[in-house]
Amino acid sequence: MSEITQVIETGPFEEHPAHPGAGAYVIVAVALCILTALEVTVAYLPALRPVMIPVLIILAIAKFALIAMFFMHLHYDSRLLSTFFLGGLLAAFVLFIALLFLFVYLDRHRAIIM
Amino acid sequence: MAAQPKPLPLEPRNYLKGGGLIGWLTTVDHKRVAVLYGVTALFLLGIGGLEALVMRLQLWEPNNHLISAHFYNEMFTMHGTTMIFLVLMPLELGFFTNFVMPLQIGARDVAFPRLNALSFWIFLVGAVLMHLSWIWGGFPNRGWFGYANLTESYYSPGLNIDFWDISLLILGVSTLLTAINFFVTMVMMRAKGMSYMRMTLFCWAMLVTVILVLLAFPALTVGLLFLLLDRFFGTHFYIAAYGATPILWQHLFWLFGHPEVYILALPSFGIISEIVPVFSRKPLFGYPMMVYSIILIGFLSYGVWGHHMFATGMGPVADSAFAITSMLIAIPTGIKIFSWIATVWGGSLRMKTAFYFALAMIVEFTIGGLSGIMHASAPVDLQQTDSYFVVAHFHYVLFGGVMFALLGAIYYWWPKVTGKMLSEKLGKWQFWLTIIGFNGTFFPMHWLGTWGMPRRVYTYGAGLGWTGLNQFETVCAFILGFSFLLMYINLVLSTARGEDAPADPWDGRTLEWAVSSPPPEYNFANPVEVEGRDAYWLMKYGRGGAREAQMFAEGKIPPVPQNMQAPPEKPIHVPTPSIFPLLIAGCLFMVAIGLLIGWWRIMEIGGGTMFICIVGMCLEYPKWGEKSHNLDEEAPHSLGIDLRKAGLWTFLGSECVFFASLIATYVVYKSRNFGGPGASILEIPLTSGSTFALLMSSLMMVLALHSIEQGRVKWMRFWLVCTMALGCVFLGVEAFEFLGFFQKGLAMQTDLFGQCFYTLVGTHGVHVTIGVIWLGSILASSFRKNFGKSKALSVEMVGLYWHFVDIVWVVIFTLVYLMQQVKGA
């Protein structure tokens, strides 16, 4: 009969699933800086006021996606991990929209009716 | 610090034996942790039951003053809080899921055994704190729902609500850790061959339940955090006089609270789906539909919270939306009821106590479900709100639906847990007394509610026509209490001198019956491979039914198959016991009690020691920070992903909901802010600089990971230092910004904007600080021997956390800072 031991054995390190090199990371960082600069510029340009909110949201989503996909490796790792994260993100988005709708939209709607 | 292998006796040893008191205090075995949960929750069940009996005595006659109104409020608050957070949830998740789920999926333990033990000890701290408030002036007394603004300092100046708030926060942490643990276990550690559609219904129910916990509890945490800030720091998150709204608490609470109903109900559905087929000797009818209906219930349960709030005047659009979703959820629930009935139909029924309770649950829960559909209709609900009709409804759901299932589960799985059979005679007595006591207590409440008796009422006037039914209910409540006394007697007597339980006393269908009762320490001697649904049934009888018919004709239960009794072929990895979970929980208790009673020295000592213990717990892992090489054996469905990494991603998914609740509150309250400096005080150029620093710190972080993956430890240290330095720059700018705002007159208490801004940005800052400390600990440990390429996982884990903090800031920077440039946004 084999011996029973109280230890979780671990062994040699397995190579990571093809993470990108340092060059790719630097390119992503440069892209993030450019997007941030664009955001700040957009926020200060009066001509863009009418479209400022959608443009800022798009730029923020782009930055969010770049960090999640490349720095957090969701683009390279198993889709299972993306599912874990995106599930939470989706629930967070639904909650955010629901609370906004219940308070902001309905408040205004009631104010109009009254 | 690294734990050395400790040879254990070669013969399989049942998990209950050995180790003495220290063994139990340091255990990380899922079965022992389950027993700790079970014993604690059963003790608290007795306390919760006594609280209910005190209430029933008070309602015995009109104008009764047996106890004070204040004490009555304490009783119904503690009864609700105890039963939901300290009895039902721990019995379902902590006791039964902890014990049964790893066995049912063919695993040797849960994914994170020490985290499991930590969850229990933290739960115990929460339970003790909740009751300790009595020493400092009284129990919490604002209901288990703690409606704002009754919980604010002005209306509740004592410490009792502080104890309630902090205890619930602590219990939330415990539940969240458990949910992450079980989620990763069920997704990744199922036995070979066990696809999702071969998993037991109980495990399916628990999988959806823990997902609900992960997505619903953060909303409660945020609600409790706001209450904490209101009470400790003078903010006004729920005070209408300052422009805020107490309705925010109701939304955050019920965003958690209604999924919570299914967090309690789904496990009971799973339990019934295990008991009914076994005692009907038939496979579960419509397994795929049962799975889909569980998923659908979980999905819909996240969108029905508003039906608790029809009376708050949300408006016709919101009322209609919540009414529709609340009615829709009856469809998958109905599927389950029909499926259980169809399973029983035509079966060879064995009328054991567990089956009695399962059948009773189907009936009682259906009654509760039918009155629940009434609440989905807003006009009907307005008549029933805050009446005893609601009390009747939720007791038919939570007692009839959940407690009956738990009682069935006790009779079903107790032989596996203790190795002793429970007395069927006492069990049947308990069953009939429970049926009489339960229906006698709660069914008349439907009438009382319809006649206008309000819930939570301390006493009532004579001549209202309520006396007779109240007295009948009180008598029945004592019958119900007596039935539970019989259960305790049965548990104690049978465990002490009951008949020994065989491995498979019920002719079970699932894997937990393939191991001895009680199970060996390591669960399964050899890795299990399953060939279909009802895995153990197939092992015993094979396919086709010929052997089944033969054994049934002979009235025999086949012995455990030889391959399940074979000795271990390879060394078995049993997690090392650890004292750290207990120590960390003890320190948490010191921090909490110090904070509550203003004993700062105790808080400081507790906090400091807790930090040391957390570091100790991380370093005690024998091959800390390395990837497990035997993942294929331990976690056949891991797809090569380390379990710790999967656990962290699960946590980050849950954190998204946490930050979404904070950000939504900021946006909502910003639009209501009047007076004060407001958002115009924000300085975009300064914050753009700190944003740049944080973004660059993410680059440094990922370069540190890249370096360690290449084996360059010195470069990794360099990049880690850079990451920490940029993190500190970010924190420094934030502190400078806060100081400037204080000087300009914007404090947390100034206005709605101030409290939301400091809370949101400050919470993010706390996350950055934790990240810097974590980075520092990795940097320090990199000077230990053998730190090299193999430790890349440690760096990757802290990196994931760091990047997450970064992307949260991307959202905050846009929403809070940049969008304030748009007037009215």
Side-chain angles (χ1 to χ4, degrees):
Chain A
M1 190 181 287
S2 307
E3 185 183 86
I4 304 161
T5 53
Q6 282 187 325
V7 65
I8 296 172
E9 284 192 354
T10 51
F13 174 71
E14 291 165 23
E15 286 301 326
H16 232 285
H19 283 173
Y25 292 137
V26 173
I27 291 170
V28 171
V30 170
L32 288 170
C33 290
I34 292 170
L35 288 171
T36 307
L38 269 176
E39 281 182 326
V40 177
T41 311
V42 167
Y44 277 106
L45 278 182
L48 288 176
R49 284 277 154 86
V51 291
M52 189 184 285
I53 291 180
V55 170
L56 286 176
I57 289 174
I58 290 167
L59 290 172
I61 290 172
K63 285 165 71 181
F64 192 108
L66 278 175
I67 297 172
M69 287 170 70
F70 295 99
F71 284 177
M72 298 173 90
H73 300 132
L74 282 184
H75 184 62
Y76 308 98
D77 279 352
S78 164
R79 285 189 183 174
L80 194 62
L81 297 177
S82 302
T83 312
F84 290 179
F85 186 59
L86 291 178
L89 201 59
L90 182 67
F93 181 71
V94 170
L95 183 149
F96 180 76
I97 295 297
L99 283 179
L100 242 55
F101 177 79
L102 285 164
F103 280 101
V104 180
Y105 171 76
L106 289 180
D107 273 4
R108 286 179 188 173
H109 180 69
R110 266 198 294 272
I112 291 166
I113 291 171
M114 290 166 79
Chain B
M1 215 53 180
Q4 296 303 314
K6 290 178 189 170
L8 289 177
L10 296 180
E11 290 301 319
R13 185 174 68 182
N14 102 45
Y15 79 96
L16 289 168
K17 289 190 176 165
L21 179 63
I22 298 296
W24 281 93
L25 295 177
T26 59
T27 187
V28 294
D29 180 346
H30 73 98
K31 299 177 289 297
R32 282 194 169 199
V33 173
V35 170
L36 291 172
Y37 266 114
V39 170
T40 312
L42 285 172
F43 172 75
L44 290 163
L45 170 67
I47 292 179
L50 288 175
E51 287 158 355
L53 291 180
V54 171
M55 282 190 279
R56 284 312 323 166
L57 280 176
Q58 166 58 28
L59 294 173
W60 171 255
E61 59 183 4
N63 302 313
N64 195 7
H65 297 287
L66 179 73
I67 56 173
S68 69
H70 181 79
F71 190 61
Y72 186 84
N73 290 350
E74 292 181 346
M75 286 296 98
F76 76 66
T77 302
M78 286 305 289
H79 172 72
T81 308
T82 301
M83 288 304 193
I84 287 169
F85 292 103
L86 307 181
V87 176
L88 296 183
M89 281 185 72
L91 277 179
E92 290 182 333
L93 275 104
F95 185 29
F96 288 116
T97 310
N98 228 332
F99 196 95
V100 175
M101 179 270 290
L103 288 164
Q104 283 195 341
I105 63 170
R108 290 215 167 108
D109 209 311
V110 291
F112 311 112
R114 287 179 305 160
L115 203 64
N116 195 22
L118 182 63
S119 296
F120 167 73
W121 293 113
I122 291 179
F123 157 74
L124 191 63
V125 168
V128 170
L129 270 180
M130 186 72 78
H131 288 85
L132 269 190
S133 63
W134 180 73
I135 298 173
W136 280 278
F139 292 118
N141 60 348
R142 296 303 185 202
W144 84 278
F145 38 81
Y147 277 160
N149 46 15
L150 285 176
T151 46
E152 294 287 347
S153 300
Y154 182 79
Y155 300 103
S156 301
L159 287 177
N160 50 355
I161 298 299
D162 295 337
F163 271 87
W164 180 82
D165 190 324
I166 289 179
S167 302
L168 285 188
L169 279 170
I170 290 172
L171 290 168
V173 172
S174 161
T175 311
L176 196 67
L177 294 180
T178 302
I180 292 169
N181 206 346
F182 289 176
F183 178 76
V184 175
T185 305
M186 282 185 275
V187 170
M188 297 190 154
M189 294 178 71
R190 285 170 284 125
K192 277 186 183 162
M194 187 176 280
S195 62
Y196 281 113
M197 291 309 275
R198 286 178 175 178
M199 219 162 58
T200 66
L201 241 298
F202 178 69
C203 288
W204 255 113
M206 293 319 303
L207 184 60
V208 177
T209 299
V210 295
I211 291 173
L212 285 180
V213 169
L214 290 166
L215 301 182
F217 262 72
L220 176 68
T221 306
V222 168
L224 291 167
L225 174 68
F226 290 160
L227 180 62
L228 190 88
L229 293 172
D230 275 8
R231 293 184 62 86
F232 281 75
F233 296 97
T235 55
H236 322 103
F237 277 100
Y238 304 124
I239 303 176
Y242 293 85
T245 168
I247 298 298
L248 175 67
W249 165 263
Q250 291 207 29
H251 277 299
L252 291 174
F253 182 80
W254 289 116
L255 254 165
F256 143 80
H258 204 84
E260 169 69 10
V261 172
Y262 290 95
I263 287 167
L264 297 172
L266 285 179
S268 77
F269 295 168
I271 289 166
I272 300 304
S273 303
E274 295 300 306
I275 296 175
V276 165
V278 166
F279 291 96
S280 304
R281 287 185 65 92
K282 275 176 69 186
L284 187 70
F285 181 86
Y287 173 94
M289 288 309 291
M290 289 290 264
V291 171
Y292 301 143
S293 62
I294 285 177
I295 295 171
L296 197 56
I297 288 171
F299 179 75
L300 287 172
S301 76
Y302 205 59
V304 298
W305 81 88
H307 74 227
H308 292 267
M309 299 171 58
F310 285 144
T312 63
M314 291 183 294
V317 177
D319 281 1
S320 306
F322 285 119
I324 290 167
T325 50
S326 302
M327 287 178 189
L328 279 178
I329 209 164
I331 297 172
T333 312
I335 289 173
K336 308 198 86 58
I337 305 279
F338 285 118
S339 177
W340 291 326
I341 294 170
T343 307
V344 174
W345 193 266
S348 306
L349 308 186
R350 285 175 299 158
M351 301 308 290
K352 299 289 184 184
T353 308
F355 193 45
Y356 273 46
F357 277 112
L359 292 177
M361 179 274 185
I362 298 171
V363 176
E364 309 290 9
F365 179 73
T366 304
I367 296 171
L370 289 173
S371 58
I373 295 172
M374 296 181 203
H375 299 309
S377 167
V380 178
D381 180 78
L382 286 174
Q383 300 301 314
Q384 295 164 344
T385 287
D386 282 344
S387 78
Y388 256 86
F389 191 92
V390 178
V391 182
H393 159 68
F394 71 67
H395 278 92
Y396 267 88
V397 172
L398 293 182
F399 197 119
V402 180
M403 186 50 87
F404 269 79
L406 284 170
L407 292 170
I410 287 173
Y411 281 90
Y412 183 59
W413 278 312
W414 195 263
K416 184 57 61 185
V417 175
T418 63
K420 297 286 183 181
M421 300 298 290
L422 285 173
S423 160
E424 279 291 315
K425 190 178 172 186
L426 274 175
K428 299 271 170 59
W429 268 101
Q430 187 207 342
F431 172 78
W432 288 113
L433 288 172
T434 306
I435 287 286
I436 294 166
F438 167 72
N439 287 294
T441 305
F442 296 109
F443 201 84
M445 289 182 186
H446 290 106
W447 285 303
L448 283 171
T450 313
W451 295 344
M453 182 167 172
R455 65 188 287 203
R456 307 172 200 130
V457 67
Y458 161 60
T459 189
Y460 50 91
L464 291 169
W466 302 343
T467 312
L469 280 184
N470 268 301
Q471 291 184 339
F472 178 73
E473 285 172 6
T474 302
V475 171
C476 291
F478 274 85
I479 295 173
L480 189 57
F482 181 70
S483 77
F484 275 84
L485 185 63
L486 281 187
M487 181 191 75
Y488 286 119
I489 292 171
N490 197 356
L491 296 183
V492 172
L493 288 184
S494 301
T495 307
R497 54 181 194 216
E499 179 193 342
D500 285 343
D504 182 20
W506 313 122
D507 200 7
R509 311 180 76 87
T510 44
L511 284 176
E512 74 269 31
W513 306 110
V515 296
S516 60
S517 303
E521 212 170 348
Y522 46 69
N523 291 356
F524 300 96
N526 296 300
V528 182
E529 197 159 345
V530 302
E531 293 174 357
R533 210 174 286 157
D534 287 342
Y536 184 50
W537 189 266
L538 285 175
M539 284 180 191
K540 284 190 291 188
Y541 294 108
R543 294 185 190 274
R547 179 166 159 76
E548 182 187 338
Q550 181 201 341
M551 297 299 285
F552 185 60
E554 293 170 9
K556 289 180 185 169
I557 296 174
V560 176
Q562 282 298 318
N563 62 334
M564 296 304 290
Q565 293 181 316
E569 290 166 3
K570 287 196 284 185
I572 292 176
H573 313 128
V574 182
T576 314
S578 173
I579 191 69
F580 285 114
L582 175 62
L583 292 179
I584 290 171
C587 294
L588 180 65
F589 179 78
M590 288 167 70
V591 171
I593 205 80
L595 176 70
L596 282 163
I597 62 172
W599 202 353
W600 308 121
R601 183 53 59 85
I602 285 288
M603 203 172 102
E604 286 164 14
I605 295 170
T609 317
M610 185 159 69
F611 177 73
I612 294 167
C613 289
I614 290 172
V615 173
M617 188 165 154
C618 293
L619 296 182
E620 95 178 317
Y621 197 71
K623 297 282 184 184
W624 167 80
E626 293 184 3
K627 289 202 161 201
S628 174
H629 81 291
N630 49 10
L631 265 181
D632 282 348
E633 188 180 300
E634 286 177 6
H637 297 270
S638 67
L639 305 173
I641 303 165
D642 193 277
L643 300 182
R644 286 159 287 173
K645 188 170 158 184
L648 185 65
W649 271 110
T650 311
F651 171 69
L652 296 183
S654 184
E655 281 271 276
C656 289
V657 182
F658 175 80
F659 275 106
S661 307
L662 283 175
I663 293 171
T665 306
Y666 172 83
V667 175
V668 167
Y669 274 178
K670 185 172 167 278
S671 69
R672 289 166 169 249
N673 190 59
F674 301 104
S680 59
I681 202 171
L682 301 176
E683 290 180 35
I684 294 177
L686 179 72
T687 319
S688 301
S690 65
T691 302
F692 177 76
L694 199 61
L695 287 173
M696 287 306 100
S697 76
S698 259
L699 173 65
M700 306 295 124
M701 184 66 245
V702 86
L703 289 176
L705 175 63
H706 183 67
S707 301
I708 193 67
E709 282 176 352
Q710 306 290 320
R712 299 180 202 147
V713 178
K714 284 184 183 172
W715 274 105
M716 180 212 71
R717 286 185 196 134
F718 172 74
W719 295 122
L720 280 185
V721 169
C722 291
T723 312
M724 287 172 69
L726 288 172
C728 290
V729 167
F730 177 84
L731 289 171
V733 172
E734 199 162 87
F736 176 75
E737 186 186 30
F738 280 16
L739 204 62
F741 292 166
F742 279 130
Q743 285 167 351
K744 289 178 187 171
L746 182 70
M748 273 190 101
Q749 302 81 1
T750 307
D751 56 14
L752 290 184
F753 171 77
Q755 65 187 27
C756 292
F757 171 79
Y758 284 115
T759 306
L760 174 59
V761 177
T763 307
H764 176 266
V766 169
H767 278 70
V768 176
T769 310
I770 293 170
V772 171
I773 294 170
W774 192 352
L775 285 166
S777 69
I778 299 284
L779 184 67
S781 64
S782 73
F783 290 96
R784 295 169 75 193
K785 268 194 270 180
N786 304 326
F787 193 99
K789 199 172 171 178
S790 64
K791 301 287 187 188
L793 181 69
S794 302
V795 183
E796 192 178 2
M797 297 273 283
V798 69
L800 287 174
Y801 178 81
W802 191 260
H803 299 311
F804 175 75
V805 170
D806 201 354
I807 56 177
V808 170
W809 183 254
V810 167
V811 178
I812 293 175
F813 180 60
T814 304
L815 272 175
V816 176
Y817 289 86
L818 298 178
M819 284 196 184
Q820 61 100 0
Q821 292 291 91
V822 187
K823 280 193 175 173

